[in-house]
């Protein structure tokens, strides 16, 4: 287990730090594939205090969920020290919804490894201003490639239930054209083909509660049906999460 990415206080000290599989709460989640909520790490024997000693950060509570793709656990994502109250099942559902996209991005990034190396070699050979321009453009294109080529479907709607993002995988699963659906009201665009799916988006927008791995059946316009798993999370316009801007959802083909 190694820390591939970290953000916040003490993050610089843990980047690249390695532990044994099963060591610490993140290692336990990565090994077992099970999520965990620990309100007080001092009361859990799985907590690995050496990381805090290395980073100077004091961990009080942890929420950790596995990163999984195609039935395989490839890592874990964890957050520490919730500022308002204790971690709960709603927080877990939101993190699991994010973990679906994160795991897919990691999987797809393997296909772009050679592309990234080429970009890095070019960047090193050019002046600083040219480097910044190329790296920014490469990152934009790379992120766009991931969304367009990810195996899971991605749908986003705004507060008026208009579709703001709809990738090719979602179009394939739902039997809808990207050009027909994008920027249209979700119910009108899908024409009743995915009533259960649309209802989950509406529930998330109206209640503010994320949904994780809801299994539904969608009906193509050609009469075929497809079982899918849906995870949604609320999009907000500020850090407090009070102003709702829409909903993002990730679709996984269960067939």
């Amino acid at each position: 287990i190694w820390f591939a990415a970290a953000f916040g206080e003490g993050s610089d000290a843990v980047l690249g730090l390695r532990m044994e599989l099963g060591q610490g709460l993140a290692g336990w989640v990565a090994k077992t594939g099970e999520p965990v909520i620990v309100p007080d790490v001092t009361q859990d024997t799985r907590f690995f205090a050496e990381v805090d000693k290395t980073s100077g950060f004091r961990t009080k509570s942890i929420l950790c969920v596995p990163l999984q793709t195609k039935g395989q656990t490839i890592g874990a994502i964890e957050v520490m020290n919730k500022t308002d109250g204790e971690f709960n099942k709603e927080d877990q559902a939101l993190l699991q919804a994010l973990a679906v996209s994160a795991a897919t991005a990691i999987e797809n990034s393997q296909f772009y490894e050679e592309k990234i190396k080429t970009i890095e070699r070019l960047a090193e050979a050019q002046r600083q201003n040219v480097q910044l321009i190329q790296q920014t453009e490469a990152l934009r294109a790379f992120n766009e490639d991931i969304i367009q080529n990810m195996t899971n479907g991605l749908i986003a709607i705004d507060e008026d239930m208009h579709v703001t993002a709809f990738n090719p995988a979602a179009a394939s699963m739902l039997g809808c054209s990207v050009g027909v659906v994008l920027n249209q009201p979700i119910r009108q665009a899908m024409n009743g083909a995915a009533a259960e799916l649309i209802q989950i988006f509406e529930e998330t927008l109206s209640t503010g509660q994320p949904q994780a791995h809801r299994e539904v059946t969608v009906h193509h316009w050609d009469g075929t049906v497809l079982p899918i798993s849906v995870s949604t999370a609320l999009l907000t316009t500020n850090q407090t999460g009070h102003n709702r801007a829409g909903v993002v959802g990730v679709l996984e083909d269960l067939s």
Side-chain angles (χ1 to χ4, degrees):
I1 296 294
W2 65 287
F3 287 79
F7 302 91
E9 183 183 347
S11 58
D12 291 342
V14 299
L15 279 175
L17 183 67
R18 294 183 178 272
M19 302 187 304
E20 296 294 330
L21 181 62
Q23 191 174 37
L25 285 161
W28 182 88
V29 170
K31 183 176 182 179
T32 64
E34 297 293 331
V36 65
I37 296 176
V38 179
D40 183 359
V41 297
T42 63
Q43 303 301 312
D44 197 304
T45 57
R46 295 169 295 183
F47 177 64
F48 187 59
E50 292 301 316
V51 176
D52 277 12
K53 293 180 181 179
T54 300
S55 64
F57 179 77
R58 183 190 174 195
T59 304
K60 301 175 184 178
S61 59
I62 285 181
L63 164 61
C64 187
V65 303
L67 291 168
Q68 296 176 322
T69 178
K70 296 181 179 177
Q72 180 182 4
T73 301
I74 61 173
I77 181 170
E78 64 179 356
V79 291
M80 286 79 77
N81 300 356
K82 185 176 180 179
T83 56
D84 182 16
E86 296 183 349
F87 289 116
N88 52 44
K89 292 297 183 181
E90 294 176 0
D91 299 324
Q92 178 180 320
L94 175 58
L95 192 59
Q96 286 177 317
L98 297 175
V100 171
S101 293
T104 301
I106 292 171
E107 179 189 24
N108 279 276
S109 69
Q110 296 172 358
F111 296 105
Y112 292 88
E113 184 175 354
E114 289 303 317
K115 180 178 178 180
I116 294 173
K117 290 180 180 178
T118 301
I119 292 172
E120 290 175 344
R121 286 194 298 268
L122 290 173
E124 290 174 356
Q126 298 177 7
R127 296 181 180 181
Q128 184 175 8
N129 288 342
V130 177
Q131 285 180 334
L132 292 175
I133 293 173
Q134 288 191 339
Q135 288 173 351
T136 300
E137 176 59 23
L139 181 61
R140 183 204 63 77
F142 179 67
N143 289 337
E144 182 66 21
D145 282 343
I146 288 178
I147 292 175
Q148 293 301 313
N149 294 292
M150 61 190 290
T151 55
N152 285 345
L154 179 72
I155 301 175
I157 62 171
D158 62 18
E159 58 185 343
D160 296 322
M161 296 291 293
H162 285 70
V163 180
T164 57
F166 194 77
N167 72 348
S172 177
M173 290 183 198
L174 301 177
C176 302
S177 168
V178 174
V180 172
V181 173
L182 203 59
N183 300 319
Q184 299 299 316
I186 188 170
R187 281 197 173 276
Q188 175 182 326
M190 294 187 183
N191 196 28
E196 293 178 279
L197 171 65
I198 296 171
Q199 184 177 358
I200 293 173
F201 275 80
E202 291 177 335
E203 289 177 3
T204 304
L205 185 63
S206 63
T207 66
Q209 304 303 313
Q211 304 290 325
H213 304 296
R214 290 274 298 273
E215 294 187 10
V216 301
T217 300
V218 297
H219 299 267
H220 285 200
W221 292 343
D222 62 5
T224 60
V225 296
L226 182 72
I228 62 173
S229 172
V230 184
S231 297
T232 60
L234 190 69
L235 294 174
T236 59
T237 57
N238 57 30
Q239 293 183 347
T240 64
H242 291 155
N243 296 333
R244 300 175 186 179
V247 175
V248 62
V250 177
L251 282 58
E252 182 178 5
D253 185 347
L254 301 179
S255 62

